[in-house]
Amino acid sequence: MKISLILNCGWFGRSHAAKSLLARTAIQSALLDAIGKLLDKPVYRLLGQRVKPLPTSVTVGIKAIPDTLEEIQDYMRNGFRIIKVKIGKTVEEDVERLHKICEEYGNKVQLRVDINQGYSLSEFRWFLKKTNDISFDVIEQPLPTSEFEYMELLHDRTIANIAADENRHSPGGCAEVGNSQKKIWDLQY
C-alpha cells in the first residue's frame, strides 16, 4: 500500500482544513498513526526508515548519591546507557558522587557531566586530577563563560570532549566557540 497515495488524495488537498499547514500536519499525523495501527507497524517503518536510531542520553540532576544511583538504575532498566550527570555544586561532593556511580555501574554506562559553569579554574583542575580514572564522553561548560580561553587550555589535559553550551548565548560567545583552535564542542547547533 502506498502511503503517499493516501496522503496525496484529492480531498486532502482541497479541503478547507488543508489550507492551514498546522491542520494539514495534524491530519497527516492522525492518518499515519491510524494506518500504522491498522497494519501493526510503527510510523517510521511505514515511511521507510533509512537511518538507524541514534543512542540518546538521559540527565540526572544534582541530588544525593543514593538518589542518583537509584535514578541511574531506573534509566538502565529502560535501556539507557548514556548518562549525563549534572554537577557543579561543590567539587568534592561531585567527585565523590561520580566515583560512586563508577563503583556501582563500572563500564555499563557512558558518563557525561554538565558542570553548568560551576567551577573556578583551580576547582576544574582539581576535578580533572581527582577524576583522571573516570572516562567521560563529554564535560560540558566547566567554567564561567568569561573564562573560555581556559577551557581551551585545559582541553589538552583530558581525553574527554569539552563542550561549550552557555558560551553560545551571545554573538561574542558564538564567535569564540566557532573560532576556537581546539576541538571545543558546540552544543547549540
Side-chain angles (χ1 to χ4, degrees):
M1 176 187 300
K2 285 273 193 182
I3 301 300
S4 59
L5 177 67
I6 293 169
L7 296 177
N8 293 323
C9 62
W11 67 267
F12 188 74
R14 287 192 294 264
S15 72
H16 291 288
K19 292 179 182 175
S20 163
L21 180 60
L22 185 59
R24 288 178 66 177
T25 302
I27 292 168
Q28 182 180 28
S29 296
L31 281 172
L32 286 169
D33 186 55
I35 293 166
K37 287 180 176 158
L38 180 70
L39 299 175
D40 197 28
K41 284 187 176 183
V43 172
Y44 70 88
R45 286 223 174 97
L46 290 174
L47 297 176
Q49 177 187 14
R50 294 179 199 225
V51 179
K52 291 182 179 179
L54 296 173
T56 187
S57 67
V58 288
T59 302
V60 176
I62 297 174
K63 51 183 68 178
I65 292 171
D67 296 332
T68 296
L69 297 176
E70 183 179 331
E71 186 171 343
I72 291 172
Q73 183 63 45
D74 289 343
Y75 285 137
M76 290 180 66
R77 272 193 283 268
N78 288 304
F80 292 98
R81 296 293 179 263
I82 304 172
I83 309 292
K84 179 165 103 171
V85 182
K86 295 276 191 172
I87 61 175
K89 193 173 178 183
T90 69
V91 68
E92 295 83 6
E93 288 177 24
D94 294 341
V95 168
E96 180 186 4
R97 190 166 157 233
L98 292 166
H99 278 286
K100 293 288 186 187
I101 292 169
C102 291
E103 285 173 24
E104 185 75 22
Y105 302 108
N107 61 1
K108 295 177 189 170
V109 296
Q110 184 178 348
L111 279 180
R112 298 175 178 176
V113 291
D114 184 355
I115 303 172
N116 284 317
Q117 307 182 69
Y119 295 160
S120 67
L121 178 58
S122 62
E123 287 172 323
F124 186 47
R125 283 184 171 145
W126 190 85
F127 172 83
L128 290 176
K129 182 179 175 184
K130 295 297 183 180
T131 60
N132 192 42
D133 59 331
I134 299 175
S135 177
F136 298 111
D137 181 38
V138 176
I139 299 173
E140 185 178 333
Q141 199 71 48
L143 302 173
T145 58
S146 61
E147 297 180 7
F148 180 77
E149 68 275 7
Y150 296 121
M151 284 175 50
E152 287 187 301
L153 292 172
L154 290 171
H155 179 269
D156 295 330
R157 294 190 181 203
T158 179
I159 60 168
N161 296 296
I162 296 181
D165 184 11
E166 285 85 359
N167 277 80
R168 293 289 316 273
H169 293 198
S170 71
C174 291
E176 270 186 320
V177 175
N179 294 327
S180 174
Q181 299 301 307
K182 302 291 182 179
K183 293 182 179 176
I184 305 292
W185 281 23
D186 174 358
L187 295 182
Q188 295 293 323
Y189 64 87

